[in-house]
Amino acid sequence: MSLSIGIIGLPNVGKSTLFNALTDANALIANYPFATIEPNTGIVPIPDARLPKLAKIYKTDKIVPATVEFVDIAGLVAGASKGEGLGNQFLSHIRATSAICHVVRAFEDSNVTRAGLPAGRQGSSEPKNDIDIINTELVLADLQTVNNRLPKLQKEAKSNSKLTPQLKILEQIKQNLDDNKPLFASSELLANSYQLEQLQLLTAKPVIYVFNVDEKTLTDEAKKQALTDLVAPAKAVFICAKLENELRGLDENDSQELLESYGQTESGLVQLIHAAYDTLGLQSFLTAGEKEVRAWTVKKDATAPEAAGVIHTDFERGFIAAQVVSYPDLISAGSLVAARAAGKVRSEGKAYLMQPGDVVEFRFNV
């Protein structure tokens, strides 16, 4: 399945710097608003230490990791829902993504200006204010969508009582937005997935907050906890864009050494991907053979046939069974033959729910 994350935030919070570091791209970085106009897109392989080990067992050189698409979207400003800045162009790019990565400035730097603030505050950090600006614009954009749909649904419900439940839900959504509350904060409203998918509401998208911090804040647990509390229950990730940029081009050993010098064990990319998988309820399973070793992304509650369908729709349609061995058992056995001899390979049917680390061979008939 496709995983696409839109990187949003106010101008000059470090979106493009972060995008370049995550994707090893070269998006324009500039100290002025709207340096990014058209969205930059990068496909990033998801680091997975299991794949090289499987490749050795199956004696293959071809490794295909799962991927995530990052989209660097132009900076949003107050009034975007009414066309300010890049307005509707910005908002339309968000609708196409699976989740939102909201980059928030949490560093002080007088050399990096913030739009719309007086001279004495242009280098400041005001996370709560910045978050509120973005959320308000997304809420206002959603209100426009709901207000356009509501009169039509009210009229249709008068002649078709089956639409009354939909109308009630839409009225609840409108009330939530009228109270300036993003929908991602309401688990009850998010449960109405059909209605939300039809409307493509922006605040219904899962959000991960990425605080762009300086090197000192990376190890300041009290400050990080305060920022985490600010956006709870949403996920918070702390990334120093400057550090991530320094990691580009380093080999694995040098990269790990640099991370450890900053008190970190994982790069920002890995942290963000973990947060995205958790927020979206995703997991990965593996396929392995002499031709290739590959990781695939599925929902956590995916059945074996649904997982097979990620590889090819014919696999799901003609699903017979899944031959499954857990990754630790396969590595411990040293080969699939040895794992099978030890009774570690199972045959699972259509009701089987995929588990993290499953190494699978699907059997099907079309």
Side-chain angles (χ1 to χ4, degrees), residues 18 95 280 315 351:
L18 176 61
R95 295 186 198 281
L280 292 169
F315 287 20

Side-chain angles (χ1 to χ4, degrees), residues 147-273:
N147 287 334
N148 287 337
R149 172 61 179 150
L150 192 56
K152 183 178 180 181
L153 186 57
Q154 287 171 333
K155 184 178 180 180
E156 293 172 346
K158 287 181 180 179
S159 58
N160 184 356
S161 60
K162 291 182 179 180
L163 295 176
T164 300
Q166 288 187 36
L167 176 59
K168 288 182 178 180
I169 292 169
L170 191 59
E171 289 173 340
Q172 290 173 6
I173 289 173
K174 175 176 167 55
Q175 183 59 58
N176 195 88
L177 296 171
D178 279 335
D179 293 338
N180 198 30
K181 297 177 181 178
L183 294 174
F184 56 68
S186 173
S187 57
E188 181 180 349
L189 290 176
L190 287 178
N192 300 288
S193 58
Y194 174 77
Q195 182 84 306
L196 297 175
E197 287 172 5
Q198 292 295 306
L199 294 170
Q200 290 189 305
L201 298 180
L202 301 173
T203 64
K205 288 187 177 294
V207 177
I208 303 159
Y209 287 93
V210 173
F211 290 99
N212 187 8
V213 301
D214 54 28
E215 297 96 321
K216 183 178 180 181
T217 304
L218 277 177
T219 55
D220 188 335
E221 296 303 324
K223 186 171 183 179
K224 290 197 294 185
Q225 186 59 54
L227 293 171
T228 299
D229 293 342
L230 185 63
V231 300
K235 292 286 182 182
V237 176
F238 299 91
I239 293 178
C240 175
K242 179 181 177 182
L243 169 60
E244 295 300 319
N245 206 37
E246 291 178 8
L247 292 171
R248 295 173 64 188
L250 296 181
D251 63 30
E252 185 176 347
N253 291 334
D254 289 342
S255 177
Q256 193 61 40
E257 185 177 335
L258 181 58
L259 281 170
E260 290 174 357
S261 72
Y262 282 91
Q264 304 299 296
T265 57
E266 295 179 325
S267 69
L269 170 63
V270 173
Q271 294 179 54
L272 181 53
I273 288 172

Side-chain angles (χ1 to χ4, degrees), residues 7-18:
I7 302 176
I8 71 168
L10 293 172
N12 293 351
V13 297
K15 298 185 308 301
S16 293
T17 302
L18 176 61

Side-chain angles (χ1 to χ4, degrees), residues 325-358:
V325 58
S326 72
Y327 171 79
D329 286 342
L330 179 55
I331 294 298
S332 178
S335 71
L336 183 61
V337 171
R340 184 173 283 113
K344 298 298 184 179
V345 180
R346 315 181 308 275
S347 181
E348 302 287 359
K350 293 182 178 181
Y352 177 70
L353 298 181
M354 300 296 294
Q355 300 299 312
D358 280 348

Side-chain angles (χ1 to χ4, degrees), residues 11-14 16-17 28-36 105 107 109-115 122-123:
N12 293 351
V13 297
S16 293
T17 302
L28 173 63
I29 301 172
N31 187 23
Y32 54 83
F34 309 121
T36 303
R105 175 171 173 155
F107 64 88
D109 190 340
S110 59
N111 294 317
V112 182
T113 61
R114 297 176 65 228
Q122 286 186 348

Side-chain angles (χ1 to χ4, degrees), residues 55-72:
K56 287 184 178 180
I57 289 178
Y58 285 89
K59 297 180 173 57
T60 180
D61 294 326
K62 187 175 181 181
I63 295 175
V64 185
T67 61
V68 57
E69 178 186 56
F70 286 105
V71 184
D72 178 24

Side-chain angles (χ1 to χ4, degrees), residues 277 281-285 296-302 354-356:
Y277 264 56
L282 302 177
Q283 65 182 10
S284 62
F285 72 91
W296 306 85
T297 301
V298 292
K299 287 285 188 180
K300 284 185 178 178
D301 58 354
M354 300 296 294
Q355 300 299 312

